[in-house]
């Protein structure tokens, strides 16, 4: 970024509040080159705001009414609660989704029925894929079933794909739900009108690009009414034209972006391997991850009691004794106490090794 020279004088003036056209184009091109190939993306339908929280907040405000519910598979990203509640006053509804056994349609129907019994009308389904906190990816058939269910029930499908380019399992890649939608349209499973109305994709630079401080989140939607509404809200969460112009030039450099992503994934995988080796040594079970920057660890064996109070006590002990901060499962709407989210990509490998050493000493004392 230090090498970029901005000569476009227009950056000093008011512009399109929902996105600087060069960055809209650069992001669409990036998506086409990577996780959304062969999808005809219209850059003017890409909305850019100050981070994905701003995107989710504004999107929720536009498509839902206060008191309505948004289905979110659990465990889930802890901050979704604030994103949906703070301004829009929505109800995040837990969805214990499994893509093994009972059909997806039945699970979603049951969740809607339970919500209705509690007086909550479901308006949308929010899916994070690759998943946070599990670090896994949904099966293609599961994504297609969820999209189909939303279109059948006239509900909004929100695809949060902020970890799209952080797949670190060798031989695996991520394909956007945008591609699934196009395939379903061509097979006449859903109509293009339904997709335009109810399907929305979120991406950003915070995770794949290690740039959470730049506050760049984007929403792609072909819904013209939503575009108009978001355009009215954009001035409250816009990004400076200057910053967008710089990022447009950076992301348009295909050689640099490919090199950066390759090195980033390599580094993330190295950190993941360090962490999992440490957990294996401590005999702590975990959900094997293929993407993202988190690991879901099972620490139920160390609870003094199988309750949320017991989980909070363990979390406090780890903070006090190890000076290590984990995300407790309760914050992620886990189904039972004792699970913790570990972020292995926010520190250098040596710091990760120190964390493992401290946790190992702590848990050995617990066992003694």
């Amino acid at each position: 970024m230090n090498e970029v020279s901005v000569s476009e004088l227009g950056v000093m003036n008011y512009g399109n509040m929902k996105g600087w056209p060069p960055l809209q184009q650069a992001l669409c091109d990036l998506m086409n080159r990577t996780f959304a190939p062969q999808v005809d993306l219209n850059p003017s339908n890409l909305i850019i705001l100050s981070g994905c929280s701003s995107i989710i907040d504004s999107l929720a405000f536009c498509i839902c009414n206060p008191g309505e519910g948004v289905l979110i598979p659990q465990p889930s990203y802890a901050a979704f609660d604030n994103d949906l509640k703070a301004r829009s006053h929505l109800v995040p509804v837990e969805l214990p989704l499994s893509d093994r056994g009972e059909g997806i349609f039945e699970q979603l129907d049951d969740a809607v029925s339970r919500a209705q019994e509690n007086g909550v009308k479901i308006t949308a389904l929010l899916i994070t894929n690759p998943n946070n906190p599990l670090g896994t990816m949904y099966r293609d058939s599961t994504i297609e079933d969820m999209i189909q269910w939303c279109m059948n029930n006239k509900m909004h499908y929100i695809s949060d794909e902020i970890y799209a380019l952080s797949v670190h399992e060798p031989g695996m890649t991520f394909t956007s739900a945008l591609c699934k939608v196009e395939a379903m349209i061509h097979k006449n499973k859903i109509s293009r009108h339904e997709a335009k109305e109810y399907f929305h994709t979120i991406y950003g630079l915070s995770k794949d690009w290690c740039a959470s401080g730049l506050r760049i989140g984007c929403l792609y939607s072909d819904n013209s009414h939503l575009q108009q509404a978001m355009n009215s809200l954009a001035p409250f969460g816009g990004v400076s034209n200057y910053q967008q112009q710089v990022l447009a030039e950076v992301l348009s450099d295909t050689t640099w972006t490919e090199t950066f992503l390759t090195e980033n994934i390599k580094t993330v995988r190295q950190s993941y391997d360090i962490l999992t080796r440490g957990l294996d040594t401590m005999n702590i079970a975990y959900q094997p991850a293929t993407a993202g920057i988190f690991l879901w660890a099972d620490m139920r064996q160390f609870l003094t009691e199988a309750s949320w109070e017991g989980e909070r006590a363990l979390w406090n002990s780890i903070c006090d004794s190890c000076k290590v901060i984990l995300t407790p499962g309760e914050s992620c709407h886990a189904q039972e106490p004792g699970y913790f989210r570990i972020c292995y990509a926010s520190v250098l490998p040596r710091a990760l090794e120190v964390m493992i050493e401290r946790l190992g000493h702590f848990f050995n004392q617990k066992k003694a």
Side-chain angles (χ1 to χ4, degrees), residues 99-157:
D99 60 0
R100 302 288 190 273
E102 186 183 7
I104 299 300
F105 281 41
E106 290 78 9
Q107 294 180 69
L108 292 168
D109 287 339
D110 289 346
V112 170
S113 296
R114 290 192 299 270
Q116 289 175 338
E117 291 172 359
N118 293 318
V120 178
K121 175 186 175 183
I122 300 298
T123 307
L125 172 64
L126 173 54
I127 300 296
T128 301
N129 191 35
N131 185 275
N132 172 11
L134 298 180
T136 56
M137 292 188 287
Y138 290 99
R139 294 191 299 177
D140 288 348
S141 59
T142 300
I143 294 294
E144 291 167 5
D145 283 350
M146 291 190 291
I147 293 171
Q148 184 75 66
W149 181 85
C150 282
M151 300 303 110
N152 291 350
N153 290 278
K154 300 189 186 314
M155 292 191 186
H156 294 274
Y157 185 100

Side-chain angles (χ1 to χ4, degrees), residues 4-44:
V4 175
S5 176
V6 177
S7 59
E8 174 58 61
L9 294 178
V11 299
M12 301 302 293
N13 302 324
Y14 287 121
N16 186 343
M17 291 295 182
K18 67 175 187 176
W20 185 245
L23 183 56
Q24 289 175 308
Q25 183 67 60
L27 283 166
C28 285
D29 290 344
L30 172 70
M31 293 165 70
N32 279 152
R33 292 198 309 270
T34 54
F35 60 92
Q38 300 178 335
V39 178
D40 186 15
L41 299 175
N42 180 352
S44 65

Side-chain angles (χ1 to χ4, degrees), residues 6 27 36 40 46 65 70 74 87 124 133 143 223 237 245 249 342 354 356-357 360:
V6 177
L27 283 166
D40 186 15
L46 188 81
N65 293 314
V70 177
Q74 60 185 125
R87 176 167 60 153
I143 294 294
N223 186 319
Q245 179 64 33
E249 296 189 32
I342 304 175
V354 171
I356 292 169
E357 291 170 5

Side-chain angles (χ1 to χ4, degrees), residues 25 115 125 150 153 165 272 288 290 293 301:
Q25 183 67 60
L125 172 64
C150 282
N153 290 278
L165 298 176
Y272 172 79
T290 58
I293 56 176
Q301 61 181 302

Side-chain angles (χ1 to χ4, degrees), residues 351-363:
L352 196 59
E353 292 168 351
V354 171
M355 181 201 77
I356 292 169
E357 291 170 5
R358 292 180 181 180
L359 289 177
H361 178 70
F362 173 80
F363 290 131

Side-chain angles (χ1 to χ4, degrees), residues 242-297:
Y242 187 92
Q243 180 168 307
Q244 291 189 69
Q245 179 64 33
V246 170
L247 289 170
E249 296 189 32
V250 170
L251 295 178
S252 296
D253 186 335
T254 56
T255 301
W256 182 87
T257 55
E258 182 177 344
T259 301
F260 177 88
L261 290 171
T262 300
E263 184 62 27
N264 187 53
I265 291 171
K266 176 183 175 182
T267 303
V268 168
R269 186 66 190 191
Q270 289 173 344
S271 293
Y272 172 79
D273 289 342
I274 291 171
L275 176 59
T276 53
R277 284 196 299 269
L279 293 177
D280 290 340
T281 300
M282 290 182 273
N283 293 315
I284 294 176
Y286 54 87
Q287 169 67 56
T290 58
I293 56 176
F294 304 111
L295 185 139
W296 190 243

